[in-house]
Amino acid sequence: ERLCEREVVERLAAGDMDALGEIYDAHARRLFAHALWMTRSRGDAEDVVHAVFAKLASMGEQLLGIRNLRAYINQMAHRECVDLMMRQRRRAEEPIDSALFVRDGADPAGAAEIAEMEDRLKELDPEQRETVYLHLFEGLTFREVGKVMGVSIFTSASRYRLAIGRLRRESGV
């Protein structure tokens, strides 16, 4: 199998994108499981796998230095997961600019409400925060929220219910 793997890596290094498909078929399922275990999010895990294979596709002759492809791409997936989680953590800590939510001709009172909720929204996990935003501020139905986020209508409704419950508990309502 090593010799065959080496040949596939050499083909990919030479620009043969069919070789990338072969590597994907051989490793994507395990990489997805690894990323899902780390991120706890199906969407994030899919993003990690996509990023790994996009990077592999662009490496060209650098691929020739890889001695163990499986270990190498698992290391890439691990780094992508860590980077993703760090970006999410930083993003969660960034203040929300409520002016971004004021549309032309819109009542700025809505922006004031968002600014007031800002600290409480930071406490929600990213999926809950996005669900609340899409449903309340974009006016999407739970079915539409589910499509945007790649989850079922029930998952989007559940995330919203849990988020609103948490916001209410924290605000004493």
Side-chain angles (χ1 to χ4, degrees), residues 35-36 38-48 80-95 121-130 149 159:
L36 183 60
M38 285 189 70
T39 65
R40 304 287 194 236
S41 165
R42 183 175 200 78
D44 288 345
E46 290 168 353
D47 290 345
V48 165
E80 285 293 325
C81 288
V82 170
D83 290 348
L84 174 75
M85 291 184 295
M86 289 175 66
R87 283 191 308 270
Q88 288 174 338
R89 192 171 298 126
R90 277 193 306 270
R91 204 173 309 132
E93 294 170 358
E94 291 176 1
L121 288 171
K122 283 185 199 177
E123 299 302 318
L124 298 175
D125 68 49
E127 286 96 4
Q128 289 177 340
R129 192 170 42 251
E130 184 176 10
M149 298 183 70
R159 285 179 181 168

Side-chain angles (χ1 to χ4, degrees), residues 102-119:
V102 179
R103 295 190 181 113
D104 293 336
D107 177 12
E113 288 176 16
I114 294 171
E116 185 178 312
M117 291 176 51
E118 182 177 322
D119 287 335

Side-chain angles (χ1 to χ4, degrees), residues 2-39:
R2 285 270 176 230
L3 180 60
C4 181
E5 184 176 276
R6 187 77 204 147
E7 289 174 10
V8 173
V9 168
E10 288 172 0
R11 287 181 24 229
L12 180 57
D16 179 357
M17 287 300 125
D18 288 338
L20 182 66
E22 292 174 37
I23 295 170
Y24 181 89
D25 291 343
H27 298 282
R29 184 175 291 223
R30 278 193 320 275
L31 286 180
F32 177 78
H34 178 186
L36 183 60
W37 182 81
M38 285 189 70
T39 65

Side-chain angles (χ1 to χ4, degrees), residues 115-154:
E116 185 178 312
M117 291 176 51
E118 182 177 322
D119 287 335
R120 287 180 272 155
L121 288 171
K122 283 185 199 177
E123 299 302 318
L124 298 175
D125 68 49
E127 286 96 4
Q128 289 177 340
R129 192 170 42 251
E130 184 176 10
T131 300
V132 169
Y133 172 80
L134 290 171
H135 185 66
L136 286 181
F137 302 110
E138 289 296 321
L140 299 182
T141 66
F142 291 126
R143 181 177 311 281
E144 293 167 329
V145 171
K147 283 185 180 181
V148 167
M149 298 183 70
V151 297
S152 73
I153 185 176
F154 304 108

